[in-house]
Structures are given as structure tokens and as C-alpha cells.
Amino acid sequence: MRKYSLRAHNTFGLDVFADHFLEYHSEDELRELISEGRVTVPFLHIGQGSNLLFTGDYYKGTVLHSCIRGITVVSEDENTVCVHVGAGVVWDDFVCHCVTKGWYGVENLSLIPGETGAAAVQNIGAYGVEVKDVIVSVDTVDLNGRKRVYSVDECCYSYRHSLFKEPSSKSVFVTGVQFRLNKIPRFVLTYGALREALSDEKTLTLQAVRDAVVRIRRSKLPDPAVCGNAGSFFMNPIVSRACWQKLLALYPYMPYYEVDAERVKIPAGWLIEQCGWKGRSLGQAAVYDKQALVLVNLGGATGADIVALAKAVQDSVYQKFGISIQPEVLFVGDGMKTE
Ligand SMILES: Cc1cc2nc3c(=O)[nH]c(=O)nc-3n(C[C@H](O)[C@H](O)[C@H](O)COP(=O)(O)OP(=O)(O)OC[C@H]3O[C@@H](n4cnc5c(N)ncnc54)[C@H](O)[C@@H]3O)c2cc1C
């Protein structure tokens, strides 16, 4: 029997069901659920489901979701403030709170969908800022009900990755995050597009930066409330210099970013666009017409439709460029969580 609809819990807007759906409002409530044996295997902890793709229409297991809210000042001095935020706080609500309070550090991360717990799992980033830059520590509860606070160094952060994404941490649930923010103005304007969007501002303010980020994002990315999607679907591939040089000879206008002496990053969106996929659809699944890195649900697509489109795009890119592009989005099967 199809039991719990996850349609409102995945930004692709897929009609997916799960056996059980558990929400909790405190660490103690989570520990109670665990000790009562209600967190049955397999399980999946979700936030807003903005980086997930349910590949089938049924998850045979338990889906957990944190409703731990609250933004509390832990300590402050003249220059900085330390704030504790519940894992279930909507990320952009927290950003908005910081901007209103005059706390610097997360304004470039405005409008990223999802919740604060997931932000710490994913190490979200945008416009030259990664959330790890402002994290002090992460509170967790594991499947044995044990609490543990991880310092930022223990979280092993790297690009869109953390210890919490490792298979060994699958049964570690993030319940809260502590951040350190600046009270003294400190803007990160390393991204040309953001600098340009702010070029008319006489005095730079937190609100102006947030507004500019929101404007840029709205012009480029589909709003999941209007058109189902999970943001950037593929990671930008990193290739050897030899491979990059060969491609550059064939495609002199190919954009790229230097990674280090041996490696170069190529924008996956450009590769997909060159294969003619921008704006094209397979059934109700499509490549977004303004940004080829985003796959969208035109309405009524299934997880299998999105997977089929993703596979077709991957195959085209491989055939044309010899590069294998990999999903950034987490594929969730019928009870098996795979990356
Ligand atoms: C339109 C759009 C734009 C986006 N832009 C960006 C961007 O600019 N930068 C960026 O970095 N990302 C971006 N994303 C991706 C996404 O917003 C982030 O990955 C976000 O952090 C996911 O949050 P979520 O609450 O939806 O988590 P989910 O997608 O539900 O889960 C993500 C992962 O976190 C785990 N998880 C969630 N909550 C917990 C918890 N409390 N404890 C343990 N594990 C947990 C899940 O198991 C899963 O592995 C975008 C997505 C969309 C739809």
C-alpha cells in the first residue's frame, strides 16, 4: 500500500511515496524515536529534498525529517557573533535573519534552497563563499541515540562534501549548527557577475548584496515552486591538462577554470549545450532552456524520466567530448541510497 506522499518533500515535484515518514522537533524526540525502534532500516534523512532524485515512485523505508527550529545567539563580542541554528530552519530564512541583524558571512548564499542541517552536510556554496567558512561546529545524534558535536575541522569539508556524506556517516543525523559571523563589514566580491550587479551601489550594504544575489539567481535558475528541479544536476568535470589541450585545439572558445598544475575544470553546462541539449526534452523531463546544467520536470515527469534524460545527456557528452559527467544530485532508489 502506498503510504506517505513525498511530493512536497522533493523539489523535482515527483510523485513518490514512502512506507514511513517521521518528523521530530528536538534531539530528545529523535532519540525517543530511535529507542522505540521506529527508525527502521532502510532509512533516509531528508531536508527539503532539493538535492535529491527519487529514481522510482516508492521508497521502501523510513524517511526522517528534522523540524528542529530556533536561531539562538550563543556568544558575541564587538567583532563577531556565534549563533546556534536548528537543523530544520530553512536556510534562506537564516540568511535573511543574518542580513536583518547586520551579521556578515552568509549573504552570498542567499536563496539556496534547503535547510540548515543539509547545508552543513552538503557544504553549500555560491559566489565565492562556502558554508564551511562560517561553521564553528555541527551537533549530531547517531542511530544509537548518542549525541556528538563535531568541530568544523572534524567535518572534513571539501567542495560540496563533508564527513556526513560518507557512507560511514549514513546513520549520523545533524540536529543543529553553530556559526560564527562578522559584525564588521566584510564582503566577498570575487565573482564578476556579483560585482557587476552591485556596480551602481554607492554604499555597499548586506541587503544590497543579498538583493543582487537573489536577482542573479532568479534570472538564471528555475524556481522549484514553479518548475520542478534540483539545481545543478551535474558536477563540472575536472580533466587532465593533456585532455584539455586536445579539446581546446578542437574548440578554441571552450570555457575552463584552472584547478592546479595538472588539472582543468570544464563547465558541464557548456558541454551539454554544445551537444544541443539546451531546451530539449524527453517526454516531460527537459534540459532547462536558460541553463543547460539544470534538468527540469515539465509536469508529471517520473524519476525514471529524469534518469533517462540524464543518461542521454551523459552519453551525448561522452560521445562528443570523451568526458564522463557525473550527477551532483543524490540518486535515491527504492531503499538504497547511492551517490
Ligand atoms: C534551484 C536550486 C538551486 C540550487 N543552488 C545551489 C547552490 O547555489 N549551491 C549549492 O551548494 N547547492 C545548491 N542547490 C542544491 C541544494 O539546495 C543544496 O544541496 C541544499 O543544501 C539541500 O538542502 P535540502 O534541505 O533540500 O537537503 P536534501 O536535498 O533533502 O538532502 C541533501 C543531503 O543531505 C542529507 N541530509 C539532509 N538533512 C540532513 C540532516 N538533518 N542530517 C543528516 N543528513 C541530512 C540527505 O540525506 C542528503 O544526503 C540548489 C538546488 C536548487 C533546487
Side-chain angles (χ1 to χ4, degrees):
M1 195 179 75
R2 317 210 133 190
K3 290 184 179 164
Y4 192 91
S5 169
L6 298 174
R7 190 176 181 149
H9 298 280
N10 75 94
T11 57
F12 262 119
L14 301 173
D15 254 328
V16 184
F17 292 80
D19 280 335
H20 308 285
F21 185 79
L22 301 175
E23 286 194 315
Y24 55 89
H25 299 79
S26 66
E27 280 190 341
D28 286 344
E29 203 182 333
L30 171 59
R31 293 168 79 205
E32 236 172 82
L33 290 172
I34 293 167
S35 69
E36 287 166 0
R38 294 182 60 196
V39 184
T40 50
V41 181
F43 57 82
L44 169 72
H45 200 303
I46 60 165
Q48 287 188 330
S50 64
N51 199 54
L52 302 180
L53 172 64
F54 288 98
T55 57
D57 58 3
Y58 200 87
Y59 180 78
K60 292 185 204 113
T62 301
V63 173
L64 279 159
H65 180 238
S66 168
C67 292
I68 301 180
R69 312 253 195 259
I71 302 176
T72 319
V73 172
V74 178
S75 64
E76 62 184 311
D77 59 27
E78 280 169 28
N79 301 327
T80 59
V81 56
C82 284
V83 205
H84 184 272
V85 185
V89 171
V90 170
W91 172 256
D92 196 51
D93 289 353
F94 172 54
V95 175
C96 183
H97 183 85
C98 293
V99 167
T100 310
K101 290 283 186 185
W103 300 337
Y104 298 77
V106 287
E107 59 282 358
N108 290 25
L109 305 179
S110 290
L111 212 66
I112 296 182
E115 293 168 0
T116 303
V121 171
Q122 302 280 88
N123 187 22
I124 56 167
Y127 303 105
V129 172
E130 285 184 304
V131 77
K132 72 168 175 54
D133 303 339
V134 286
I135 288 180
V136 175
S137 59
V138 177
D139 302 346
T140 65
V141 167
D142 71 17
L143 201 54
N144 293 312
R146 281 186 303 243
K147 293 186 189 191
R148 176 167 168 190
V149 180
Y150 289 77
S151 71
V152 66
D153 291 338
E154 289 174 316
C155 297
C156 303
Y157 282 120
S158 59
Y159 180 76
R160 303 290 181 274
H161 198 77
S162 72
L163 176 77
F164 309 112
K165 289 188 88 173
E166 297 288 336
S168 56
S169 301
K170 190 180 176 308
S171 42
V172 174
F173 309 127
V174 173
T175 53
V177 187
Q178 198 180 132
F179 298 93
R180 182 180 290 111
L181 300 152
N182 282 305
K183 289 179 167 177
I184 314 247
R186 192 177 293 180
F187 295 106
V188 178
L189 300 175
T190 43
Y191 264 61
L194 185 55
R195 271 201 312 275
E196 206 173 293
L198 289 161
S199 56
D200 289 341
E201 297 288 332
K202 289 198 177 74
T203 325
L204 212 50
T205 63
L206 272 173
Q207 190 63 53
V209 175
R210 174 169 166 77
D211 291 346
V213 170
V214 168
R215 267 199 316 276
I216 298 172
R217 293 184 69 92
R218 287 209 169 119
S219 70
K220 280 192 187 165
L221 292 165
D223 177 356
V226 179
C227 181
N229 75 94
S232 302
F233 195 91
F234 296 102
M235 291 187 276
N236 293 323
I238 294 175
V239 300
S240 68
R241 260 177 202 276
C243 167
W244 163 72
Q245 269 158 357
K246 265 192 211 156
L247 287 171
L248 204 60
L250 292 169
Y251 308 99
Y253 301 109
M254 179 176 73
Y256 60 89
Y257 309 100
E258 305 277 347
V259 176
D260 53 35
E262 282 91 40
R263 297 172 312 156
V264 177
K265 194 189 273 187
I266 301 176
W270 182 84
L271 297 169
I272 297 167
E273 206 176 327
Q274 295 304 303
C275 294
W277 275 106
K278 199 174 183 183
R280 264 179 68 192
S281 55
L282 270 188
Q284 289 305 101
V287 176
Y288 189 50
D289 56 4
K290 289 190 194 141
Q291 166 57 273
L293 200 49
V294 178
L295 303 191
V296 295
N297 175 0
L298 296 175
T302 62
D305 293 337
I306 311 274
V307 173
L309 175 65
K311 174 91 179 44
V313 167
Q314 279 174 312
D315 288 350
S316 294
V317 169
Y318 190 75
Q319 271 164 26
K320 190 169 170 77
F321 297 101
I323 294 177
S324 164
I325 52 169
Q326 295 305 317
E328 179 169 326
V329 168
L330 184 79
F331 283 38
V332 181
D334 62 357
M336 296 287 294
K337 184 176 166 188
T338 49
E339 268 179 287

